[in-house]
Amino acid sequence: MQSHQSPIQGVWVPLVTPFSGGAVDGGALRRLVRHYAAAGVDGLVVCGSTGEAAALDDAEQLAVLDAVLTEAGRLPVIMGLAGNHQGHVLQRLAAFGTRPLAGILAPAPYYVRPGQEGAAAYFRCLADASRFPLVLYDIPYRTGATLETSTLLGLAAHPNIAAIKDCGGSLEKTVALIADGNMAVLAGEDLHALSVLCLGGAGMIAAAAHIRPDLFVAMYRAVRTQQLDQARKLFHALAPVIRLAFAEPNPGPVKAQLERLGLLNAEVRQPMPRASAELAARMEGAVAGLNRLYPA
């Protein structure tokens, strides 16, 4: 079981980046922050994969971060930091160091495939250099780098590595990391959120929590108060929406639904495609069904 109370726990939303006419839409971004703060989420992640960080240049990433921080108030914010040029990544880390962050979310250097020793050395380098706790992002299907359990357990012992966003696809690895207790384990695959919580995980970073974030928060709190029947009911009600959120490339489906809620324009940056009209309609139907069960 998790042996410490990490401040990085609960329901975190990996914020989409709204665009309008090709530019970042700061007004919509601030509106989103207010919306999720009001829903009771525990924190926000900026410039993760859901935030289309790969399509933002360095200046845009900082502008997005600053807009979120301005609006977030006391709500904690984690900043994504992905790359494969270690010197450039460290420069960006230094720039983030001047902001009041709760942590840095970092995947293994993609494309490079540095092996276990190279990946571990990369994460230790970032953790040593960072003013904020490092959250490892284990997502081999995006990076091409599979992190072994022994590698992650070794990294968990680093004093500035606080948590992991677990998209590793291995229940055995998840169980070992939770049992070890040296870092908070956050579900990164939304359909695994309830399982990870019930095993003793600390929370989730859930893209589908953009839609009815209040119900994700209610599910998390139900597990924490041992109301497992209620947590299961909420999870099974949310599951159709979660599946549709990832039925086409993320964040297209989530943005389509947020547009229907009047929170932003569904615009994405190429090569990311918009959600198909068919999927957007199916998502709207699934959300309507969810709203009948749990009125917003």
Side-chain angles (χ1 to χ4, degrees):
M1 296 292 287
Q2 227 81 53
S3 66
H4 60 82
Q5 282 295 307
S6 167
I8 301 173
Q9 59 184 353
V11 178
W12 291 66
V13 175
L15 270 183
V16 297
T17 302
F19 299 111
S20 182
V24 172
D25 184 343
L29 187 56
R30 289 187 288 274
R31 189 159 58 242
L32 286 176
V33 174
R34 291 194 295 273
H35 176 70
Y36 294 115
V41 305
D42 295 282
L44 300 171
V45 178
V46 177
C47 291
S49 42
T50 303
E52 297 177 73
L56 300 171
D57 66 29
D58 291 358
E60 287 176 318
Q61 288 197 16
L62 272 180
V64 167
L65 175 59
D66 288 340
V68 171
L69 287 170
T70 298
E71 203 64 54
R74 298 181 63 164
L75 191 65
V77 174
I78 288 173
M79 183 63 177
L81 177 61
N84 53 15
H85 182 303
Q86 188 162 313
H88 182 219
V89 168
L90 288 169
Q91 283 176 356
R92 289 170 61 219
L93 181 62
F96 301 156
T98 62
R99 273 77 174 171
L101 297 176
I104 297 288
L105 177 67
Y110 52 84
Y111 188 74
V112 175
R113 302 186 70 188
Q116 300 306 300
E117 283 185 30
Y122 174 83
F123 285 125
R124 282 195 295 268
C125 174
L126 264 56
D128 289 344
S130 177
R131 286 187 51 215
F132 312 111
L134 198 67
V135 180
L136 306 181
Y137 187 4
D138 183 18
I139 186 156
Y141 59 80
R142 283 189 184 273
T143 63
T146 297
L147 301 170
E148 293 171 6
T149 303
S150 57
T151 303
L152 293 170
L153 290 172
L155 288 167
H158 191 292
N160 202 33
I161 295 177
I164 182 166
K165 180 181 179 184
D166 178 18
C167 297
S170 161
L171 182 60
E172 191 174 337
K173 192 155 63 171
T174 303
V175 169
L177 293 171
I178 292 171
D180 176 63
N182 260 332
M183 62 181 168
V185 176
L186 303 164
E189 299 292 347
D190 296 13
L191 278 174
H192 297 175
L194 180 60
S195 315
V196 170
L197 290 175
C198 289
L199 286 166
M204 68 194 81
I205 298 175
H210 279 90
I211 302 160
R212 291 306 303 271
D214 56 317
L215 297 184
F216 282 84
V217 171
M219 177 176 69
Y220 170 76
R221 291 177 181 168
V223 174
R224 282 287 176 262
T225 54
Q226 300 297 311
Q227 296 174 287
L228 295 185
D229 283 349
Q230 174 66 3
R232 277 193 290 268
K233 281 179 189 164
L234 284 161
F235 174 76
H236 286 297
L238 286 164
V241 172
I242 293 172
R243 287 191 193 96
L244 289 171
F246 298 99
E248 291 179 6
N250 174 52
V254 164
K255 280 190 163 181
Q257 183 58 28
L258 294 178
E259 181 176 78
R260 292 183 182 215
L261 295 173
L263 287 164
L264 48 69
N265 179 326
E267 190 176 319
V268 289
R269 273 199 179 161
Q270 291 179 325
M272 179 60 64
R274 281 181 182 246
S276 66
E278 183 207 3
L279 182 68
R282 287 172 62 202
M283 174 72 88
E284 189 167 38
V287 172
L290 180 60
N291 292 344
R292 282 192 291 275
L293 284 173
Y294 295 98

